Amino acid sequence: MTVPPDPPSFPSSANQVRTLLVSHAAEMGGAEQGLLDLARHLGPQRCQVLLLADGDLHHILQRNHIPVSLLQAGGVFMGVRRAGSAARALAALPQTLLLACKLAAAARNHDLIYANSQKAALVAMLAGSLARRPVIWHLHDILDAGHFGWLQRHALALLSNTLTRFVIVVSAAARDAYIESGGTPGHARLVYNGIDPQPYDGLAETPRKTLRGELHLPPGPLVGLFGRITEWKGQRVLIEALPLLPHLQAIIVGSPMFGQDAELDYIKALAERLGVADRIKFLGHRPDVPRLMRAVDLVVHCSTSPEPFGRVIVEALLAGTPILAAEGGASREILGDTAWVVKANDPKKLAAAIEGVLTTDTAEELARLRARIVENFLLDRMMASLDSVIAEACPPPPRGEGGGGGSHSGQSRIEKSPSFLKKRSKRLLFPRRFHDPGHGLDLSASAGIKVFLLLFLQKKKDLLRSSRRPARPST
Ligand code: UDP
Protein backbone atom coordinates (compact mmCIF):
# COMPACT_ATOMS: atom_id res chain seq x y z
CA MET A 1 0.00 0.00 0.00
CA THR A 2 1.43 3.45 -0.90
CA VAL A 3 1.85 5.84 1.98
CA PRO A 4 2.98 9.38 1.17
CA PRO A 5 6.49 10.20 2.41
CA ASP A 6 6.99 12.73 5.21
CA PRO A 7 7.34 16.30 3.92
CA PRO A 8 10.87 17.67 4.21
CA SER A 9 11.51 20.09 7.08
CA PHE A 10 10.58 23.73 6.42
CA PRO A 11 13.47 25.68 4.88
CA SER A 12 13.67 29.24 6.19
CA SER A 13 14.85 30.57 2.78
CA ALA A 14 11.32 30.01 1.42
CA ASN A 15 10.27 32.93 3.60
CA GLN A 16 12.17 35.39 1.42
CA VAL A 17 11.02 34.23 -2.00
CA ARG A 18 8.52 36.48 -3.75
CA THR A 19 6.31 34.33 -5.93
CA LEU A 20 4.13 35.33 -8.86
CA LEU A 21 1.26 32.84 -9.08
CA VAL A 22 -0.33 32.57 -12.53
CA SER A 23 -3.53 30.84 -13.64
CA HIS A 24 -5.53 31.03 -16.87
CA ALA A 25 -8.64 29.71 -15.08
CA ALA A 26 -10.58 31.70 -12.49
CA GLU A 27 -13.66 29.52 -12.01
CA MET A 28 -13.45 27.58 -8.75
CA GLY A 29 -12.38 23.97 -9.37
CA GLY A 30 -9.99 21.83 -7.33
CA ALA A 31 -6.84 23.39 -8.87
CA GLU A 32 -8.09 26.92 -8.21
CA GLN A 33 -8.90 26.00 -4.59
CA GLY A 34 -5.28 24.78 -4.32
CA LEU A 35 -3.98 28.11 -5.67
CA LEU A 36 -6.17 30.02 -3.20
CA ASP A 37 -4.84 27.90 -0.32
CA LEU A 38 -1.23 28.53 -1.41
CA ALA A 39 -1.81 32.29 -1.82
CA ARG A 40 -3.35 32.45 1.67
CA HIS A 41 -0.43 30.49 3.08
CA LEU A 42 2.20 32.71 1.44
CA GLY A 43 0.28 35.89 2.24
CA PRO A 44 0.48 39.31 0.53
CA GLN A 45 4.14 39.80 1.49
CA ARG A 46 5.31 36.69 -0.34
CA CYS A 47 3.02 36.43 -3.34
CA GLN A 48 0.94 38.13 -5.95
CA VAL A 49 -1.56 36.47 -8.29
CA LEU A 50 -1.91 37.15 -11.99
CA LEU A 51 -5.04 35.78 -13.70
CA LEU A 52 -5.41 35.43 -17.45
CA ALA A 53 -9.23 35.43 -17.15
CA ASP A 54 -11.79 36.89 -14.77
CA GLY A 55 -13.95 34.81 -12.44
CA ASP A 56 -14.84 33.94 -8.83
CA LEU A 57 -11.21 33.29 -7.90
CA HIS A 58 -10.44 36.97 -8.59
CA HIS A 59 -13.03 38.19 -6.07
CA ILE A 60 -12.18 35.56 -3.44
CA LEU A 61 -8.49 36.55 -3.61
CA GLN A 62 -9.42 40.21 -3.22
CA ARG A 63 -11.59 39.37 -0.20
CA ASN A 64 -8.54 37.57 1.27
CA HIS A 65 -6.36 40.70 0.71
CA ILE A 66 -4.08 38.88 -1.75
CA PRO A 67 -2.74 41.28 -4.42
CA VAL A 68 -4.28 40.10 -7.69
CA SER A 69 -4.18 41.54 -11.19
CA LEU A 70 -5.88 40.60 -14.40
CA LEU A 71 -4.00 40.16 -17.65
CA GLN A 72 -6.93 39.32 -19.89
CA ALA A 73 -5.80 36.80 -22.53
CA GLY A 74 -7.14 37.03 -26.10
CA GLY A 75 -9.95 34.81 -27.38
CA VAL A 76 -7.72 32.81 -29.72
CA PHE A 77 -5.39 31.85 -26.84
CA MET A 78 -8.28 30.99 -24.50
CA GLY A 79 -10.00 29.05 -27.29
CA VAL A 80 -7.20 26.48 -27.61
CA ARG A 81 -8.53 23.18 -26.27
CA ARG A 82 -6.50 20.51 -24.47
CA ALA A 83 -7.36 18.04 -27.17
CA GLY A 84 -7.73 20.59 -29.97
CA SER A 85 -6.01 20.67 -33.34
CA ALA A 86 -2.44 21.76 -34.02
CA ALA A 87 -3.72 24.47 -36.34
CA ARG A 88 -5.57 26.17 -33.45
CA ALA A 89 -2.52 25.91 -31.21
CA LEU A 90 -0.36 27.46 -33.93
CA ALA A 91 -2.87 30.26 -34.50
CA ALA A 92 -2.58 31.16 -30.80
CA LEU A 93 1.20 31.53 -30.97
CA PRO A 94 1.29 35.34 -31.44
CA GLN A 95 -1.07 35.90 -28.48
CA THR A 96 0.97 33.43 -26.40
CA LEU A 97 4.19 35.32 -27.12
CA LEU A 98 2.55 38.66 -26.33
CA LEU A 99 1.29 37.34 -22.99
CA ALA A 100 4.74 35.91 -22.26
CA CYS A 101 6.34 39.33 -22.79
CA LYS A 102 3.79 40.96 -20.48
CA LEU A 103 4.25 38.27 -17.84
CA ALA A 104 8.04 38.61 -18.11
CA ALA A 105 7.71 42.31 -17.36
CA ALA A 106 5.46 41.57 -14.35
CA ALA A 107 7.89 38.92 -13.11
CA ARG A 108 10.68 41.46 -12.71
CA ASN A 109 9.47 42.20 -9.18
CA HIS A 110 9.40 38.52 -8.25
CA ASP A 111 11.90 35.72 -7.68
CA LEU A 112 9.76 32.90 -9.00
CA ILE A 113 6.92 32.29 -11.47
CA TYR A 114 4.51 29.59 -10.29
CA ALA A 115 2.07 28.40 -12.97
CA ASN A 116 -1.08 26.65 -11.78
CA SER A 117 -2.65 25.60 -15.09
CA GLN A 118 -1.52 24.28 -18.47
CA LYS A 119 -2.01 27.47 -20.46
CA ALA A 120 -0.44 29.51 -17.68
CA ALA A 121 2.49 27.08 -17.69
CA LEU A 122 3.13 27.59 -21.38
CA VAL A 123 3.14 31.38 -21.01
CA ALA A 124 5.19 31.16 -17.79
CA MET A 125 7.84 28.95 -19.37
CA LEU A 126 8.41 31.50 -22.14
CA ALA A 127 8.22 34.43 -19.70
CA GLY A 128 10.62 32.77 -17.26
CA SER A 129 13.11 32.40 -20.05
CA LEU A 130 12.72 36.03 -21.08
CA ALA A 131 12.91 37.40 -17.55
CA ARG A 132 15.45 34.84 -16.28
CA ARG A 133 13.21 33.73 -13.48
CA PRO A 134 12.83 30.11 -12.40
CA VAL A 135 9.43 28.58 -13.17
CA ILE A 136 7.47 25.96 -11.24
CA TRP A 137 4.55 24.30 -12.97
CA HIS A 138 1.96 22.82 -10.60
CA LEU A 139 0.45 20.12 -12.79
CA HIS A 140 -3.04 19.31 -11.51
CA ASP A 141 -3.92 16.99 -14.39
CA ILE A 142 -3.09 13.62 -15.82
CA LEU A 143 -1.31 14.17 -19.12
CA ASP A 144 -2.90 11.25 -20.95
CA ALA A 145 -4.78 10.66 -24.17
CA GLY A 146 -8.13 10.76 -22.31
CA HIS A 147 -7.68 14.42 -21.40
CA PHE A 148 -5.10 15.88 -23.80
CA GLY A 149 -4.22 15.86 -27.48
CA TRP A 150 -0.97 14.17 -28.49
CA LEU A 151 0.67 17.47 -29.39
CA GLN A 152 -0.41 19.30 -26.23
CA ARG A 153 0.85 16.69 -23.78
CA HIS A 154 4.15 15.98 -25.51
CA ALA A 155 4.94 19.62 -26.22
CA LEU A 156 4.17 20.67 -22.64
CA ALA A 157 6.22 17.85 -21.08
CA LEU A 158 9.11 18.46 -23.44
CA LEU A 159 9.16 22.20 -22.87
CA SER A 160 8.90 21.73 -19.12
CA ASN A 161 12.10 19.66 -19.10
CA THR A 162 14.01 22.68 -20.27
CA LEU A 163 12.03 25.70 -19.21
CA THR A 164 10.83 24.87 -15.70
CA ARG A 165 12.80 24.29 -12.53
CA PHE A 166 10.31 21.71 -11.25
CA VAL A 167 6.96 20.23 -12.15
CA ILE A 168 4.84 19.56 -9.06
CA VAL A 169 2.57 16.55 -9.59
CA VAL A 170 -0.46 15.86 -7.39
CA SER A 171 -0.19 12.05 -7.34
CA ALA A 172 2.01 9.19 -8.47
CA ALA A 173 -0.55 8.59 -11.25
CA ALA A 174 -0.07 12.18 -12.47
CA ARG A 175 3.73 11.77 -12.23
CA ASP A 176 3.68 8.55 -14.29
CA ALA A 177 1.60 10.17 -17.03
CA TYR A 178 3.94 13.19 -17.06
CA ILE A 179 6.96 10.93 -17.50
CA GLU A 180 5.15 8.87 -20.14
CA SER A 181 4.56 12.11 -22.10
CA GLY A 182 8.28 12.89 -22.10
CA GLY A 183 8.79 14.62 -18.73
CA THR A 184 12.11 13.96 -16.98
CA PRO A 185 11.59 11.82 -13.84
CA GLY A 186 14.03 13.86 -11.73
CA HIS A 187 12.13 17.01 -12.64
CA ALA A 188 8.87 15.96 -10.98
CA ARG A 189 8.16 16.71 -7.34
CA LEU A 190 5.25 14.76 -5.85
CA VAL A 191 3.13 16.87 -3.51
CA TYR A 192 -0.27 15.42 -2.64
CA ASN A 193 -3.14 17.89 -2.31
CA GLY A 194 -4.07 18.74 1.25
CA ILE A 195 -7.45 19.82 2.55
CA ASP A 196 -8.08 22.43 5.24
CA PRO A 197 -9.78 20.48 8.06
CA GLN A 198 -11.17 23.59 9.76
CA PRO A 199 -14.59 23.67 7.96
CA TYR A 200 -15.06 20.04 9.04
CA ASP A 201 -14.36 20.67 12.75
CA GLY A 202 -17.16 19.24 14.84
CA LEU A 203 -19.20 18.23 11.76
CA ALA A 204 -18.74 14.50 12.30
CA GLU A 205 -20.60 14.86 15.61
CA THR A 206 -23.57 16.68 14.03
CA PRO A 207 -26.52 14.30 13.53
CA ARG A 208 -27.42 13.80 9.88
CA LYS A 209 -31.09 14.34 10.61
CA THR A 210 -30.47 17.86 11.95
CA LEU A 211 -28.46 18.84 8.87
CA ARG A 212 -30.98 17.36 6.44
CA GLY A 213 -33.68 19.55 7.95
CA GLU A 214 -31.53 22.69 7.75
CA LEU A 215 -30.49 21.97 4.16
CA HIS A 216 -33.99 20.97 2.97
CA LEU A 217 -32.85 17.49 2.01
CA PRO A 218 -35.22 14.50 2.07
CA PRO A 219 -35.15 11.76 4.74
CA GLY A 220 -34.24 8.18 3.79
CA PRO A 221 -31.17 6.72 2.04
CA LEU A 222 -29.34 9.54 0.26
CA VAL A 223 -26.09 9.61 -1.78
CA GLY A 224 -24.21 12.67 -3.03
CA LEU A 225 -21.95 13.23 -6.00
CA PHE A 226 -19.79 16.37 -5.78
CA GLY A 227 -17.82 17.97 -8.61
CA ARG A 228 -18.14 20.04 -11.73
CA ILE A 229 -20.54 18.72 -14.31
CA THR A 230 -18.61 17.26 -17.18
CA GLU A 231 -18.79 13.89 -18.92
CA TRP A 232 -15.68 12.36 -17.31
CA LYS A 233 -16.78 13.20 -13.76
CA GLY A 234 -19.36 10.44 -14.30
CA GLN A 235 -22.69 11.95 -13.21
CA ARG A 236 -24.14 9.72 -15.95
CA VAL A 237 -22.86 6.60 -14.15
CA LEU A 238 -24.72 7.43 -10.94
CA ILE A 239 -27.92 8.24 -12.86
CA GLU A 240 -27.67 4.91 -14.69
CA ALA A 241 -27.22 3.08 -11.36
CA LEU A 242 -30.36 4.61 -9.80
CA PRO A 243 -32.96 2.38 -11.56
CA LEU A 244 -31.26 -0.58 -9.80
CA LEU A 245 -31.72 1.08 -6.37
CA PRO A 246 -35.43 2.00 -6.18
CA HIS A 247 -35.35 3.37 -2.62
CA LEU A 248 -32.31 5.60 -3.06
CA GLN A 249 -32.30 9.37 -3.60
CA ALA A 250 -29.36 11.43 -4.83
CA ILE A 251 -28.01 14.96 -4.81
CA ILE A 252 -25.73 16.09 -7.62
CA VAL A 253 -23.67 19.05 -6.43
CA GLY A 254 -21.64 21.17 -8.85
CA SER A 255 -22.12 23.11 -12.05
CA PRO A 256 -20.72 22.93 -15.57
CA MET A 257 -17.48 24.86 -16.08
CA PHE A 258 -15.26 25.68 -19.05
CA GLY A 259 -18.22 25.71 -21.48
CA GLN A 260 -19.59 22.23 -20.61
CA ASP A 261 -23.25 23.32 -20.27
CA ALA A 262 -24.51 20.69 -22.74
CA GLU A 263 -23.61 17.92 -20.28
CA LEU A 264 -26.05 19.27 -17.68
CA ASP A 265 -28.89 19.20 -20.25
CA TYR A 266 -27.82 15.68 -21.23
CA ILE A 267 -27.86 14.22 -17.70
CA LYS A 268 -31.19 15.88 -16.85
CA ALA A 269 -32.69 14.33 -19.99
CA LEU A 270 -31.09 10.97 -19.11
CA ALA A 271 -32.67 11.06 -15.63
CA GLU A 272 -36.10 11.74 -17.21
CA ARG A 273 -35.62 8.94 -19.73
CA LEU A 274 -34.66 6.42 -17.03
CA GLY A 275 -37.58 7.49 -14.81
CA VAL A 276 -35.38 8.62 -11.89
CA ALA A 277 -35.66 12.41 -12.24
CA ASP A 278 -37.92 12.72 -9.18
CA ARG A 279 -35.23 11.04 -7.04
CA ILE A 280 -32.40 13.42 -7.98
CA LYS A 281 -31.84 16.99 -6.81
CA PHE A 282 -29.46 19.09 -8.90
CA LEU A 283 -28.10 21.64 -6.42
CA GLY A 284 -25.67 23.52 -8.71
CA HIS A 285 -22.36 24.90 -7.39
CA ARG A 286 -22.43 25.16 -3.59
CA PRO A 287 -20.06 26.85 -1.15
CA ASP A 288 -21.22 24.60 1.76
CA VAL A 289 -19.81 21.26 0.56
CA PRO A 290 -18.69 20.09 4.07
CA ARG A 291 -22.25 20.29 5.48
CA LEU A 292 -23.78 18.67 2.40
CA MET A 293 -21.24 15.85 2.56
CA ARG A 294 -22.03 15.27 6.20
CA ALA A 295 -25.79 15.28 5.48
CA VAL A 296 -25.72 12.37 3.00
CA ASP A 297 -25.30 8.70 3.93
CA LEU A 298 -22.68 8.09 1.29
CA VAL A 299 -20.55 10.13 -1.12
CA VAL A 300 -19.91 8.60 -4.53
CA HIS A 301 -17.04 9.53 -6.81
CA CYS A 302 -17.72 8.28 -10.33
CA SER A 303 -14.94 9.63 -12.58
CA THR A 304 -14.70 7.59 -15.77
CA SER A 305 -11.13 8.70 -16.54
CA PRO A 306 -8.25 8.43 -14.06
CA GLU A 307 -8.61 11.15 -11.41
CA PRO A 308 -5.41 13.20 -10.98
CA PHE A 309 -6.16 13.55 -7.26
CA GLY A 310 -9.84 13.85 -6.27
CA ARG A 311 -10.18 16.29 -3.37
CA VAL A 312 -13.77 15.14 -2.84
CA ILE A 313 -12.52 11.70 -1.71
CA VAL A 314 -10.56 13.28 1.14
CA GLU A 315 -13.35 15.75 1.96
CA ALA A 316 -15.99 13.03 2.37
CA LEU A 317 -13.87 11.24 4.98
CA LEU A 318 -13.17 14.49 6.83
CA ALA A 319 -16.95 14.96 6.99
CA GLY A 320 -17.22 11.49 8.56
CA THR A 321 -19.16 10.05 5.60
CA PRO A 322 -18.29 6.83 3.74
CA ILE A 323 -17.00 7.25 0.19
CA LEU A 324 -17.06 4.98 -2.84
CA ALA A 325 -14.29 6.05 -5.21
CA ALA A 326 -13.89 5.04 -8.84
CA GLU A 327 -10.81 2.92 -9.56
CA GLY A 328 -7.97 4.62 -11.46
CA GLY A 329 -5.72 7.61 -11.01
CA ALA A 330 -5.05 8.58 -7.40
CA SER A 331 -8.01 6.79 -5.71
CA ARG A 332 -5.85 3.93 -4.40
CA GLU A 333 -3.04 6.28 -3.39
CA ILE A 334 -5.51 8.17 -1.19
CA LEU A 335 -7.52 5.24 0.16
CA GLY A 336 -5.00 2.38 0.05
CA ASP A 337 -6.28 -1.14 0.48
CA THR A 338 -10.07 -0.97 0.88
CA ALA A 339 -13.25 -2.36 -0.66
CA TRP A 340 -14.48 1.22 -1.09
CA VAL A 341 -12.75 1.57 -4.47
CA VAL A 342 -15.06 0.34 -7.28
CA LYS A 343 -14.65 -0.32 -10.99
CA ALA A 344 -15.00 2.91 -12.96
CA ASN A 345 -17.80 3.52 -15.47
CA ASP A 346 -19.84 0.47 -14.42
CA PRO A 347 -23.34 1.41 -13.13
CA LYS A 348 -24.14 -2.22 -12.09
CA LYS A 349 -20.99 -2.54 -9.95
CA LEU A 350 -21.62 0.90 -8.50
CA ALA A 351 -25.21 -0.01 -7.57
CA ALA A 352 -24.02 -3.22 -5.85
CA ALA A 353 -21.33 -1.32 -3.93
CA ILE A 354 -23.81 1.38 -2.82
CA GLU A 355 -26.19 -1.33 -1.60
CA GLY A 356 -23.29 -2.97 0.28
CA VAL A 357 -22.17 0.20 2.09
CA LEU A 358 -25.72 1.28 2.99
CA THR A 359 -26.59 -2.10 4.51
CA THR A 360 -23.44 -2.79 6.58
CA ASP A 361 -21.83 -1.22 9.63
CA THR A 362 -19.17 1.10 8.24
CA ALA A 363 -17.94 2.67 11.50
CA GLU A 364 -14.66 0.75 11.71
CA GLU A 365 -13.61 1.23 8.08
CA LEU A 366 -14.61 4.89 8.25
CA ALA A 367 -12.45 5.48 11.33
CA ARG A 368 -9.49 3.66 9.76
CA LEU A 369 -9.64 5.62 6.49
CA ARG A 370 -10.26 8.93 8.27
CA ALA A 371 -7.09 8.40 10.34
CA ARG A 372 -5.15 7.77 7.11
CA ILE A 373 -6.49 11.02 5.66
CA VAL A 374 -5.69 13.06 8.75
CA GLU A 375 -2.15 11.74 8.73
CA ASN A 376 -1.40 12.30 5.05
CA PHE A 377 -3.75 14.66 3.25
CA LEU A 378 -4.21 17.81 5.32
CA LEU A 379 -3.35 21.31 4.19
CA ASP A 380 -0.41 21.92 6.58
CA ARG A 381 1.49 18.99 5.17
CA MET A 382 0.92 20.14 1.59
CA MET A 383 2.06 23.70 2.37
CA ALA A 384 5.24 22.47 4.11
CA SER A 385 6.08 20.44 1.00
CA LEU A 386 5.38 23.40 -1.32
CA ASP A 387 7.61 25.64 0.81
CA SER A 388 10.41 23.10 0.36
CA VAL A 389 10.01 22.95 -3.41
CA ILE A 390 9.93 26.76 -3.61
CA ALA A 391 13.09 27.02 -1.50
CA GLU A 392 14.79 24.41 -3.66
CA ALA A 393 13.87 26.36 -6.82
CA CYS A 394 15.18 29.63 -5.38
CA PRO A 395 18.23 28.94 -3.27
CA PRO A 396 19.60 32.03 -1.50
CA PRO A 397 22.46 33.71 -3.41
CA PRO A 398 25.94 32.73 -2.24
CA ARG A 399 27.40 35.09 0.38
CA GLY A 400 28.71 38.35 -1.08
CA GLU A 401 26.86 37.91 -4.39
CA GLY A 402 23.32 39.16 -3.55
CA GLY A 403 23.09 42.93 -3.32
CA GLY A 404 21.18 45.15 -5.73
CA GLY A 405 17.49 45.83 -5.56
CA GLY A 406 16.20 42.26 -5.50
CA SER A 407 14.94 40.28 -2.54
CA HIS A 408 16.42 37.01 -3.75
CA SER A 409 18.42 35.30 -6.43
CA GLY A 410 18.60 36.86 -9.86
CA GLN A 411 16.75 40.09 -9.14
CA SER A 412 19.61 42.57 -9.30
CA ARG A 413 20.98 41.40 -12.64
CA ILE A 414 17.64 42.06 -14.36
CA GLU A 415 17.11 45.51 -12.96
CA LYS A 416 20.56 46.62 -14.03
CA SER A 417 19.63 45.83 -17.62
CA PRO A 418 16.64 47.81 -18.97
CA SER A 419 16.86 46.16 -22.40
CA PHE A 420 16.58 42.66 -20.96
CA LEU A 421 13.31 41.87 -22.76
CA LYS A 422 14.88 42.58 -26.13
CA LYS A 423 17.90 40.43 -25.37
CA ARG A 424 15.83 37.58 -23.95
CA SER A 425 13.39 37.63 -26.92
CA LYS A 426 16.36 37.23 -29.23
CA ARG A 427 17.68 34.36 -27.14
CA LEU A 428 14.27 32.66 -27.14
CA LEU A 429 13.70 33.01 -30.86
CA PHE A 430 17.24 32.00 -31.79
CA PRO A 431 18.11 29.71 -28.90
CA ARG A 432 21.70 28.76 -28.28
CA ARG A 433 22.98 26.54 -25.53
CA PHE A 434 23.52 28.34 -22.29
CA HIS A 435 23.48 27.46 -18.67
CA ASP A 436 22.50 29.74 -15.85
CA PRO A 437 23.78 28.26 -12.60
CA GLY A 438 21.66 30.71 -10.61
CA HIS A 439 18.43 29.12 -11.80
CA GLY A 440 19.50 25.78 -13.13
CA LEU A 441 17.90 26.57 -16.49
CA ASP A 442 19.40 24.87 -19.46
CA LEU A 443 17.83 26.22 -22.64
CA SER A 444 19.19 24.40 -25.64
CA ALA A 445 18.69 24.82 -29.34
CA SER A 446 17.60 21.18 -29.46
CA ALA A 447 14.52 21.92 -27.31
CA GLY A 448 13.35 24.56 -29.82
CA ILE A 449 13.90 22.18 -32.70
CA LYS A 450 12.03 19.38 -30.90
CA VAL A 451 8.98 21.57 -30.28
CA PHE A 452 8.83 22.73 -33.88
CA LEU A 453 9.24 19.12 -34.99
CA LEU A 454 6.31 18.12 -32.77
CA LEU A 455 4.15 20.89 -34.21
CA PHE A 456 5.09 19.76 -37.71
CA LEU A 457 4.34 16.07 -37.00
CA GLN A 458 0.99 16.89 -35.43
CA LYS A 459 0.02 19.05 -38.39
CA LYS A 460 0.97 16.19 -40.70
CA LYS A 461 -1.11 13.75 -38.60
CA ASP A 462 -4.14 16.09 -38.79
CA LEU A 463 -3.79 16.38 -42.55
CA LEU A 464 -3.45 12.61 -43.00
CA ARG A 465 -6.47 11.97 -40.81
CA SER A 466 -8.65 14.43 -42.74
CA SER A 467 -7.51 12.99 -46.11
CA ARG A 468 -8.43 9.43 -44.95
CA ARG A 469 -11.85 10.49 -43.65
CA PRO A 470 -14.61 9.45 -46.14
CA ALA A 471 -16.09 12.37 -48.01
CA ARG A 472 -19.44 13.53 -46.59
CA PRO A 473 -22.39 12.72 -48.83
CA SER A 474 -23.66 15.93 -50.31
CA THR A 475 -27.22 16.81 -49.40
N1 UDP B 1 -16.76 21.89 -5.00
C1 UDP B 1 -17.41 23.00 -4.45
N2 UDP B 1 -18.72 23.21 -4.75
C2 UDP B 1 -19.43 22.38 -5.55
C3 UDP B 1 -18.77 21.25 -6.12
C4 UDP B 1 -17.43 21.03 -5.82
O1 UDP B 1 -16.82 23.77 -3.69
O2 UDP B 1 -20.62 22.64 -5.77
C5 UDP B 1 -15.35 21.67 -4.67
C6 UDP B 1 -15.10 20.34 -3.97
O3 UDP B 1 -15.43 20.45 -2.60
C7 UDP B 1 -13.62 20.13 -4.24
C8 UDP B 1 -13.41 20.77 -5.60
O4 UDP B 1 -14.57 21.57 -5.85
O5 UDP B 1 -12.83 20.81 -3.28
C9 UDP B 1 -13.27 19.74 -6.69
O6 UDP B 1 -11.99 19.17 -6.61
P1 UDP B 1 -11.65 17.74 -7.20
O7 UDP B 1 -10.21 17.49 -6.97
O8 UDP B 1 -12.57 16.72 -6.65
O9 UDP B 1 -11.99 17.87 -8.76
P2 UDP B 1 -11.40 18.89 -9.87
O10 UDP B 1 -12.39 20.00 -10.03
O11 UDP B 1 -10.08 19.39 -9.39
O12 UDP B 1 -11.29 18.04 -11.09
Side-chain angles (χ1 to χ4, degrees):
M1 190 193 307
T2 8
V3 174
D6 283 334
S9 57
F10 181 76
S12 59
S13 57
N15 274 327
Q16 298 149 32
V17 178
R18 288 189 297 180
T19 304
L20 182 59
L21 301 163
V22 192
S23 169
H24 87 273
E27 291 181 72
M28 289 305 290
E32 293 68 38
Q33 182 61 51
L35 181 135
L36 176 63
D37 288 338
L38 177 60
R40 274 191 194 135
H41 166 72
L42 296 174
Q45 301 303 323
R46 288 204 280 158
C47 80
Q48 187 180 343
V49 180
L50 199 144
L51 297 175
L52 304 184
D54 205 359
D56 286 349
L57 179 59
H58 191 178
H59 312 297
I60 300 174
L61 285 163
Q62 282 175 329
R63 278 206 298 277
N64 281 273
H65 309 290
I66 304 293
V68 51
S69 38
L70 190 60
L71 178 59
Q72 194 89 46
V76 183
F77 173 83
M78 293 303 277
V80 176
R81 294 278 156 250
R82 292 164 160 201
S85 71
R88 273 195 121 171
L90 278 173
L93 212 56
Q95 285 189 357
T96 309
L97 290 173
L98 192 66
L99 281 171
C101 290
K102 289 181 179 172
L103 179 57
R108 272 190 292 173
N109 298 322
H110 296 82
D111 304 301
L112 171 73
I113 309 176
Y114 188 107
N116 201 57
S117 62
Q118 272 61 256
K119 283 182 187 158
L122 182 61
V123 177
M125 286 189 237
L126 301 173
S129 188
L130 289 168
R132 299 189 95 184
R133 291 293 185 271
V135 174
I136 289 179
W137 172 21
H138 200 144
L139 173 56
H140 292 272
D141 285 295
I142 289 198
L143 286 184
D144 68 1
H147 295 278
F148 288 86
W150 182 88
L151 170 74
Q152 281 83 340
R153 63 181 196 276
H154 285 91
L156 277 168
L158 205 83
L159 280 171
S160 75
N161 288 337
T162 314
L163 299 179
T164 68
R165 188 73 183 84
F166 298 119
V167 174
I168 296 173
V169 286
V170 292
S171 60
R175 181 190 56 204
D176 294 349
Y178 168 68
I179 294 169
E180 189 100 327
S181 299
T184 307
H187 218 63
R189 292 286 180 277
L190 172 56
V191 178
Y192 283 109
N193 283 336
I195 307 295
D196 181 2
Q198 197 263 324
Y200 298 85
D201 279 353
L203 257 192
E205 283 81 55
T206 316
R208 289 213 155 79
K209 208 172 155 201
T210 316
L211 277 177
R212 291 252 186 120
E214 287 171 17
L215 293 163
H216 309 291
L217 296 178
L222 183 66
V223 297
L225 195 162
F226 298 77
R228 64 199 142 93
I229 305 231
T230 181
E231 189 179 341
W232 78 270
K233 285 285 181 185
Q235 285 89 4
R236 297 176 181 201
V237 185
L238 173 62
I239 294 170
E240 284 167 8
L242 282 181
L244 304 168
L245 300 157
H247 304 297
L248 188 69
Q249 305 198 62
I251 55 171
I252 292 185
V253 184
S255 59
M257 288 183 190
F258 315 119
Q260 304 266 322
D261 294 43
E263 183 63 15
L264 181 58
D265 297 337
Y266 179 89
I267 56 175
K268 282 185 171 169
L270 178 68
E272 289 288 349
R273 189 150 41 84
L274 297 178
V276 295
D278 58 336
R279 291 196 277 133
I280 305 176
K281 273 182 185 285
F282 291 93
L283 300 186
H285 184 87
R286 297 277 296 236
D288 52 350
V289 165
R291 275 157 59 82
L292 287 164
M293 281 191 171
R294 177 63 195 160
V296 297
D297 298 297
L298 170 66
V299 172
V300 287
H301 162 268
C302 297
S303 297
T304 57
S305 293
E307 184 73 64
F309 183 79
R311 297 171 62 94
V312 292
I313 302 172
V314 175
E315 291 167 350
L317 291 166
L318 287 177
T321 301
I323 167 89
L324 283 174
E327 181 111 63
S331 301
R332 281 267 174 229
E333 291 172 61
I334 298 173
L335 295 175
D337 197 4
T338 175
W340 289 0
V341 174
V342 291
K343 190 167 176 253
N345 207 6
D346 189 331
K348 275 190 192 152
K349 288 239 159 63
L350 178 66
I354 291 175
E355 185 79 47
V357 170
L358 293 181
T359 53
T360 50
D361 183 0
T362 54
E364 206 176 300
E365 184 64 343
L366 192 56
R368 189 182 71 81
L369 291 176
R370 197 168 189 276
R372 181 181 164 92
I373 293 301
V374 169
E375 194 178 337
N376 299 302
F377 300 104
L378 294 191
L379 192 62
D380 284 355
R381 190 187 176 101
M382 176 190 180
M383 291 305 145
S385 300
L386 291 183
D387 276 329
S388 290
V389 181
I390 288 174
E392 203 184 343
C394 295
R399 269 173 196 279
E401 228 187 61
S407 66
H408 218 262
S409 55
Q411 189 83 9
S412 56
R413 263 175 295 166
I414 305 296
E415 281 169 4
K416 276 180 199 154
S417 158
S419 61
F420 84 103
L421 271 181
K422 208 170 138 196
K423 285 186 192 159
R424 297 290 159 254
S425 313
K426 222 168 140 190
R427 193 167 276 187
L428 190 80
L429 292 172
F430 307 103
R432 63 188 163 80
R433 196 165 186 82
F434 79 95
H435 186 242
D436 175 0
H439 298 130
L441 293 179
D442 186 359
L443 180 62
S444 63
S446 68
I449 293 167
K450 279 183 211 160
V451 171
F452 282 108
L453 206 64
L454 279 171
L455 286 167
F456 173 74
L457 286 173
Q458 175 71 12
K459 182 79 199 148
K460 228 176 135 188
K461 259 176 78 182
D462 287 352
L463 286 175
L464 272 174
R465 213 179 292 142
S466 56
S467 68
R468 278 197 208 118
R469 217 172 279 150
R472 270 207 201 152
S474 51
T475 46

